[in-house]
Each structure stands twice: as structure tokens, then as C-alpha cells.
């Protein structure tokens, strides 16, 4: 009997170790495969140069900037909306309209990103092109708008969770003092739930950064540093997807592992930040 | 007022996306879309390859789901059980950090990892190894592994203490407790987590794009061959359609994928409702 117990323990333990190893292995592979490029001392050039393979320059700066632009902009759009929605769900209408909205938001988490991309190409891009009559309509703006819809469920669910933890007597007291719901949100709920809000923001940023399909399909993928939100831009994720078709032995191909590494490190930092703030709250 | 606007804005945005697909796509959905001009029975028994229909893509997606759930499920269940029942606090915080990071890695980086493993195997083991169904399924398994681990762990940990402690206090061993008490009581929660993981498999495009999906391959003959998949088909149509009938097929495919994910979501939700009912009257 004891023997069986031990076997089970070992099996469960090794499964966990295997999953942890997988996480580290991915980082390991990214670093290992970008080593040939790193060793040549080109790392600074790669991080700052423009991307023009014909001239032997393989900088990914434009892609990093594109990634940051698109994800920050989508966060900017969806943050107020998500805040409003979670306030709606949790505080104003916790009864049926709120429940309905929550169900809708949960359903939205299940919608494939490729569908957002597809609708973006055939619905949003023509609209943006007509409204601004500038360029092809494939721009940072269109990609951010679509991404905003993609990431808002993450934020809404996280925000309303942290709103729910605000003690009910605080809310009752505020209401008894005759506060408007706007004052309630800004002076009572946000100060009490800001760590949760921050964590939700960080996670949503990671999700926006990690998404490939929307950026690849509707941001236009140009490699020039964007100067306005109507310009097209390329994200790191889309860059990887596009270069993968190139020749295996070229330097272009090797630099995409640096892109992968950069993405990995950026998202892991986000996770660490989120965990850190959660821990602080628990204390 | 503000939050009403936000709620309405989000809901209309979502309705626009779904409505656009339904209006444009519903005419495209018929048997011809799926089977082209091949007879139904012939297609089902693989007597003839279906050309021009969505049948191979649907089969490809299905086999992808089956394979990757097959890889990820045992591993995820075992590590989830370990984290919930066996791990010491320090070990637990380390492993759950790893799981969180793995969950945060952009799917394209996971795909890149799968791709680099393929190159690695190609170089060192056999030159017969190319991107294929098996590699895609393995990489997807890494993508959904953290979800399965998390749901298993949370499902077991959120069981009431009296359920977790009764059997051991009656003399059951830890393993017996897990197999006969904990897993059955947490089963419905775990199953709804798995259903959501299946949804992730069905929708993900970035991973398979890098690891062996192609636009036309027919029904996959073995796990070592290329394959088609619905989300990739949608992406492919959006970027390189040549005439309106192809575009129509894209709309149809997008609508089918949307229905599949909405159906999976409804299934998970239904399972959840069932447990809520059970816990209200049980225990």
C-alpha cells in the first residue's frame, strides 16, 4: 500500500516538474537559437537598427515600438470602457442586466481571435479608410480598436472580481452620505481595489502584446517607425509569423528568436509584476 | 450613466461583430460548403478526398484537439493534483509561478518553440522530420497545459474542508482520498475547464501556423503529415482570397468556427450550472 502511495507521489511530482521544465525550456531554446547572432556582438544593432535585410541591417526596433504602440493604445481605449462595465456589473446593476452583461463578457473570452481579425479586415478597415480617408485603413488605430475588444473581457472579469472584494459596509456608508455613483467609484472603490485593477491592466497588456492574428491581419505590417496612429505598423508577433517563411540559414531567420525571447521576457515581467502586487495586497 | 454607456458600447461592438458574420455568412452555410461536390458517405469513410470543401479543415481541427488534449490532460491533471494535495508551500509557489508564466507566453512564441524543436530533431535525429500534425499537437498541448493545471488545482482546493478531510480521517490513504473522493467531487469543475481548453485548441492559429498547417492538404493521413485547420483557413482566405465565392467560403468558415466556440462555451457554462445546483442540494 505504501509502495503505491509513493509511486503516485512520484508520478504527480514528475508531472509538475515536467511542466515547469517546459516553461524554462522555451526560454532556453529562444536564447540558445539566438546565440549565434548574439555572439557576433550585433545585439545593440539589432535592438536599434531599422529592418532592411537587403542592406544587411536586421534591427527589430520598429517592431518593438509597434508592439508597444498598439498594445498601449488598445489598453487606453478599453480601460475606461472596462472600468465602466465592471462598475455596471458589480455595483449599479448586480441583478439581471449585470448578470447578462457578465455572461456576454464571458462568452467574448471564447471568441477566436482569428474571427476578430477576419471581421477587422472586412468591416473595420474599410470604415477606418472611409472615415479618415488616409492610407489603406490598415493602421495602428484599426488594430488597437479590435484588440481593445479582445482584451476588455480579461480586464472586466478581473476588475469586477476586485470590486466585489470591497467591503459592502463601505459602499453602504457612502450611499448613506448621499454620494453619487461617480463619487462612489472614484473615492471609495478605486482606492480600495486599485491593486486588483493594476493586476488586471498588466494581464490585459500581456494579452494585447501576445496576440498575433489581429496585428498580423489588420495593422498593415510595415517596417517603418510609425509616426501617427493612422500609419501602419508591425508587431513582434506578426514579425515572427511573417519571417518564418524565409530561408532557415539566413540571419533574418535567426533574429526572430530574439523577437521570441524579447516577447517571453516582457510577458514574464508582467506576470511577475502582477503576482508581486497581489502578494502585497494579501499582506 | 457613464457605465450604462460603457456597457452598451461593449455590447453593441460585440453584436456588430457577430451580426456582421451572421448576415454575411448564413447564406454560405450549406452542405456544399463542407463537402464540395463529394458524396457524403464517401467523404466520411475517406474513400475520396474532398477538394474545395471545409471537410478536411474540420477533420484537421478535430484531430488536433484530440491529440493535444490527449497529451495535456494526463500531465495537467497530475500536476494539478500535486499542487493541490502534495506540494509544500514553497514548492507550490515556485510551480505556480512557472504555470503562470507558461500561461502568459504568447502563443506565437510557443509555436516558435515547436518549430525550433522540429529543426533540432531534423538536424540531430532524422531528416525525415518536418513540421506536422504531431508537432502542432504537442505545441498546442503546452499552450493549454497551464489552463488544465490551474482548473484542476482550483477545483480540488475549493472543495469544502469537510469533504477533503472526511476520508483521511476514516483511514483512507492520500491516494484513495484523491481517486475516490476528491476527483469525483471536483469532476464537473475540471470537465468544464477541459471544455474551455478544447475551445483554446480549436481557435488557436498562431501555434499551428508555425508548426505544419497548410492551406490544402486534404484529410491528414497520419500524425506525421501536414494538415488543414479551420482558423488557419479563415486567416488564409482573409489574406489571399481571389474571388467572391472563395470569400463566401471564408465567411462560412468563420461562422462555423464561431458556432463551435460558442457551443463549447455554452457546454462549459451548462456544466457549471449543474454543479451549482448539485452543491446547493448536496453535501
Amino acid at each position: 500500500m505504501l509502495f503505491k502511495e509513493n509511486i503516485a507521489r512520484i508520478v504527480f511530482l514528475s508531472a509538475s516538474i515536467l511542466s515547469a521544465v517546459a516553461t524554462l525550456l522555451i526560454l532556453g531554446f529562444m536564447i540558445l537559437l539566438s546565440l549565434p547572432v548574439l555572439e557576433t556582438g550585433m545585439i545593440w544593432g539589432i535592438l536599434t537598427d531599422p529592418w532592411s535585410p537587403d542592406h544587411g541591417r536586421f534591427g527589430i526596433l520598429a517592431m518593438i515600438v509597434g508592439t508597444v504602440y498598439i498594445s498601449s493604445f488598445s489598453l487606453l481605449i478599453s480601460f475606461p470602457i472596462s472600468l465602466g462595465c465592471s462598475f455596471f456589473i458589480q455595483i449599479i446593476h448586480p441583478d439581471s442586466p449585470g448578470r447578462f452583461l457578465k455572461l456576454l463578457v464571458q462568452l467574448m473570452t471564447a471568441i477566436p481571435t482569428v474571427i476578430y481579425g477576419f471581421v477587422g479586415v472586412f468591416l473595420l478597415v474599410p470604415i477606418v479608410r472611409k472615415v479618415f480617408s488616409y492610407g489603406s485603413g490598415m493602421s495602428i488605430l484599426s488594430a488597437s480598436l479590435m484588440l481593445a475588444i479582445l482584451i476588455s473581457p480579461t480586464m472586466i472579469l478581473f476588475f469586477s472580481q476586485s470590486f466585489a472584494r470591497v467591503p459592502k459596509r463601505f459602499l453602504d456608508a457612502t450611499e448613506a452620505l448621499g454620494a453619487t455613483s461617480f463619487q462612489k467609484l472614484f473615492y471609495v472603490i478605486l482606492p480600495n481595489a486599485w491593486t486588483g485593477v493594476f493586476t488586471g491592466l498588466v494581464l490585459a497588456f500581456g494579452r494585447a502584446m501576445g496576440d498575433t492574428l489581429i496585428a498580423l491581419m489588420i495593422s498593415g505590417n510595415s517596417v517603418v517607425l510609425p509616426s501617427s496612429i493612422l500609419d501602419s505598423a508591425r508587431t513582434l508577433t506578426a514579425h515572427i509569423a511573417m519571417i518564418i517563411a524565409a530561408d532557415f540559414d539566413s540571419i533574418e531567420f535567426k533574429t526572430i528568436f530574439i523577437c521570441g525571447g524579447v516577447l517571453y521576457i516582457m510577458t514574464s515581467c508582467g506576470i511577475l509584476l502582477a503576482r508581486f502586487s497581489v502578494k502585497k495586497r494579501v499582506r | 450613466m457613464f457605465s450604462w454607456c460603457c456597457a452598451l458600447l461593449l455590447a453593441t461592438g460585440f453584436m456588430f461583430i457577430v451580426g456582421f458574420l451572421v448576415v454575411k455568412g448564413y447564406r454560405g452555410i450549406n452542405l456544399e460548403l463542407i463537402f464540395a461536390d463529394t458524396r457524403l458517405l464517401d467523404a466520411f469513410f475517406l474513400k475520396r478526398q474532398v477538394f474545395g470543401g471545409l471537410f478536411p479543415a474540420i477533420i484537421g481541427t478535430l484531430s488536433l484537439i484530440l491529440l493535444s488534449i490527449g497529451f495535456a490532460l494526463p500531465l495537467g491533471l497530475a500536476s494539478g493534483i500535486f499542487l493541490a494535495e502534495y506540494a509544500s508551500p514553497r514548492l507550490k509557489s515556485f510551480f505556480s509561478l512557472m504555470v503562470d508564466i507558461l500561461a502568459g507566453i504568447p502563443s506565437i512564441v510557443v509555436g516558435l518553440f515547436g518549430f525550433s524543436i522540429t529543426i533540432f530533431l531534423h538536424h540531430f535525429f532524422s531528416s525525415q522530420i518536418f513540421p506536422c500534425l504531431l508537432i502542432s499537437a504537442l505545441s498546442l498541448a503546452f499552450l493549454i497545459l497551464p489552463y488544465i493545471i490551474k482548473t484542476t488545482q482550483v477545483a480540488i482546493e475549493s472543495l469544502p474542508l469537510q469533504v477533503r478531510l472526511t476520508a483521511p480521517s476514516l483511514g483512507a490513504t492520500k491516494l484513495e482520498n484523491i481517486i475516490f473522493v476528491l476527483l469525483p467531487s471536483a469532476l464537473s469543475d475540471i470537465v468544464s475547464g477541459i471544455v474551455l481548453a478544447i475551445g483554446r485548441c480549436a481557435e488557436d492559429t498562431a501555434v499551428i501556423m508555425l508548426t505544419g498547417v497548410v492551406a490544402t492538404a486534404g484529410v491528414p493521413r497520419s500524425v506525421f503529415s501536414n494538415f488543414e485547420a479551420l482558423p488557419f483557413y479563415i486567416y488564409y482566405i482573409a489574406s489571399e482570397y481571389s474571388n467572391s465565392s472563395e470569400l463566401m467560403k471564408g465567411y462560412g468558415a468563420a461562422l462555423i468556427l464561431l458556432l463551435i466556440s460558442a457551443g463549447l462555451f455554452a457546454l462549459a457554462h451548462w456544466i457549471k450550472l449543474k454543479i451549482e445546483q448539485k452543491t446547493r442540494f448536496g453535501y
Side-chain angles (χ1 to χ4, degrees):
Chain A
M1 201 34 122
L2 202 64
F3 176 69
K4 222 162 120 190
E5 289 289 311
N6 281 334
I7 293 283
R9 202 192 140 80
I10 290 168
V11 168
F12 293 147
L13 175 65
S14 43
S16 313
I17 292 177
L18 203 64
S19 331
V21 165
T23 311
L24 298 175
L25 205 62
I26 295 179
L27 181 62
F29 256 89
M30 291 304 133
I31 293 177
L32 189 77
L33 285 163
S34 48
L35 266 187
V37 183
L38 293 181
E39 269 171 359
T40 54
M42 282 166 59
I43 180 69
W44 186 244
I46 283 172
L47 288 180
T48 55
D49 268 3
W51 176 267
S52 56
D54 301 337
H55 301 97
R57 302 176 81 177
F58 303 98
I60 56 171
L61 180 67
M63 282 53 123
I64 296 181
V65 171
T67 302
V68 172
Y69 266 12
I70 290 182
S71 12
S72 328
F73 203 63
S74 64
L75 212 60
L76 212 65
I77 299 170
S78 71
F79 177 62
I81 296 179
S82 309
L83 212 56
C85 284
S86 25
F87 194 59
F88 184 86
I89 290 173
Q90 210 60 44
I91 312 289
I92 299 191
H93 285 288
D95 46 339
S96 19
R99 269 219 299 281
F100 175 74
L101 185 63
K102 191 167 182 186
L103 194 65
L104 186 80
V105 169
Q106 282 169 337
L107 174 64
M108 281 173 74
T109 57
I111 305 292
T113 48
V114 69
I115 290 199
Y116 286 128
F118 189 81
V119 174
V121 171
F122 295 110
L123 181 69
L124 188 63
V125 168
I127 292 178
V128 169
R129 185 167 50 211
K130 268 210 191 104
V131 170
F132 294 97
S133 49
Y134 175 88
S136 65
M138 298 210 171
S139 58
I140 296 184
L141 181 69
S142 339
S144 313
L145 278 172
M146 234 19 180
L147 262 183
I149 296 181
L150 175 80
I151 61 175
S152 53
T154 315
M155 277 202 263
I156 294 173
L157 293 178
F158 223 90
F159 290 176
S160 47
Q161 222 176 46
S162 64
F163 285 3
R165 276 195 294 259
V166 175
K168 182 134 189 356
R169 56 202 164 90
F170 286 13
L171 298 177
D172 291 344
T174 346
E175 200 150 325
L177 289 171
T180 62
S181 33
F182 180 82
Q183 287 168 327
K184 215 162 139 189
L185 175 64
F186 275 87
Y187 296 111
V188 180
I189 296 175
L190 281 186
N192 271 293
W194 78 267
T195 39
V197 170
F198 177 71
T199 315
L201 265 179
V202 170
L203 291 181
F205 192 72
R207 184 138 169 62
M209 213 159 56
D211 183 76
T212 313
L213 263 294
I214 289 182
L216 181 64
M217 286 165 91
I218 59 184
S219 75
N221 296 320
S222 92
V223 290
V224 188
L225 272 177
S227 56
S228 89
I229 56 164
L230 290 171
D231 278 348
S232 99
R234 192 190 282 197
T235 62
L236 284 171
T237 47
H239 184 63
I240 295 176
M242 296 182 90
I243 299 301
I244 202 85
D247 184 14
F248 285 9
D249 288 319
S250 61
I251 307 181
E252 277 139 290
F253 187 74
K254 281 167 188 149
T255 55
I256 62 172
F257 291 102
I258 297 183
C259 297
V262 169
L263 274 172
Y264 186 105
I265 289 167
M266 277 156 91
T267 47
S268 317
C269 285
I271 300 283
L272 284 175
L273 205 65
R275 275 176 77 93
F276 183 67
S277 70
V278 168
K279 250 186 206 148
K280 229 168 144 189
R281 180 178 56 206
V282 170
R283 244 178 247 156
Chain B
M1 199 57 218
F2 163 70
S3 57
W4 263 106
C5 291
C6 293
L8 282 179
L9 196 63
L10 189 79
T12 23
F14 178 72
M15 291 303 169
F16 249 107
I17 292 177
V18 174
F20 176 75
L21 272 185
V22 171
V23 168
K24 289 267 189 174
Y26 81 99
R27 266 170 297 144
I29 292 204
N30 48 34
L31 279 179
E32 206 191 318
L33 172 72
I34 298 177
F35 296 105
D37 49 2
T38 317
R39 291 227 324 275
L40 278 184
L41 284 177
D42 287 353
F44 272 120
F45 294 110
L46 306 179
K47 277 189 198 146
R48 281 175 54 195
Q49 284 283 13
V50 177
F51 288 110
L54 288 178
F55 185 67
I58 294 175
I59 295 291
T61 296
L62 276 182
S63 35
L64 203 60
I65 290 174
L66 282 180
L67 275 173
S68 44
I69 290 284
F71 288 126
L73 193 57
L75 198 60
L77 273 182
S79 349
I81 292 172
F82 181 80
L83 286 179
E85 284 294 303
Y86 290 90
S88 63
R90 281 186 65 177
L91 215 54
K92 193 165 161 174
S93 80
F94 170 73
F95 278 134
S96 61
L97 174 66
M98 285 297 140
V99 172
D100 279 356
I101 290 183
L102 189 60
I105 296 176
S107 61
I108 191 121
V109 178
V110 177
L112 194 56
F113 172 66
F115 185 77
S116 53
I117 283 195
T118 320
I119 302 179
F120 186 75
L121 293 177
H122 185 84
H123 266 286
F124 292 98
F125 288 101
S126 138
S127 52
Q128 302 283 300
I129 297 175
F130 287 104
C132 62
L133 186 57
L134 186 67
I135 302 263
S136 282
L138 268 175
S139 320
L140 264 185
F142 279 128
L143 195 74
I144 57 172
L145 184 62
Y147 293 88
I148 298 183
I149 296 178
K150 264 263 133 59
T151 25
T152 312
Q153 185 194 347
V154 171
I156 292 179
E157 279 177 348
S158 59
L159 288 175
L161 211 56
Q162 70 207 64
V163 176
R164 297 181 71 178
L165 294 182
T166 309
S169 68
L170 291 171
T173 61
K174 215 166 187 174
L175 184 62
E176 284 169 343
N177 188 27
I178 290 169
I179 294 177
F180 296 115
V181 181
L182 297 184
L183 279 185
S185 349
L187 192 65
S188 20
D189 248 341
I190 297 177
V191 169
S192 77
I194 293 170
V195 174
L196 291 180
I198 291 178
R200 292 272 307 171
C201 275
E203 67 131 347
D204 194 90
T205 323
V207 170
I208 55 176
M209 222 158 99
L210 266 54
T211 51
V213 79
V214 286
T216 42
V219 175
R221 297 195 176 279
S222 79
V223 291
F224 296 110
S225 61
N226 284 326
F227 61 99
E228 292 178 38
L230 268 182
F232 183 75
Y233 184 81
I234 297 169
Y235 164 69
Y236 179 77
I237 291 290
S239 53
E240 1 219 305
Y241 69 96
S242 54
N243 54 43
S244 62
S245 79
E246 260 185 46
L247 187 60
M248 209 55 222
K249 275 199 288 192
Y251 280 116
L255 201 54
I256 290 178
L257 188 64
L258 190 67
L259 287 177
I260 291 176
S261 12
L264 286 173
F265 173 78
L267 185 64
H269 192 73
W270 181 73
I271 294 171
K272 244 189 196 135
L273 280 184
K274 283 220 78 134
I275 352 164
E276 268 164 26
Q277 271 172 10
K278 203 177 80 193
T279 41
R280 208 175 298 147
F281 302 117
Y283 303 142

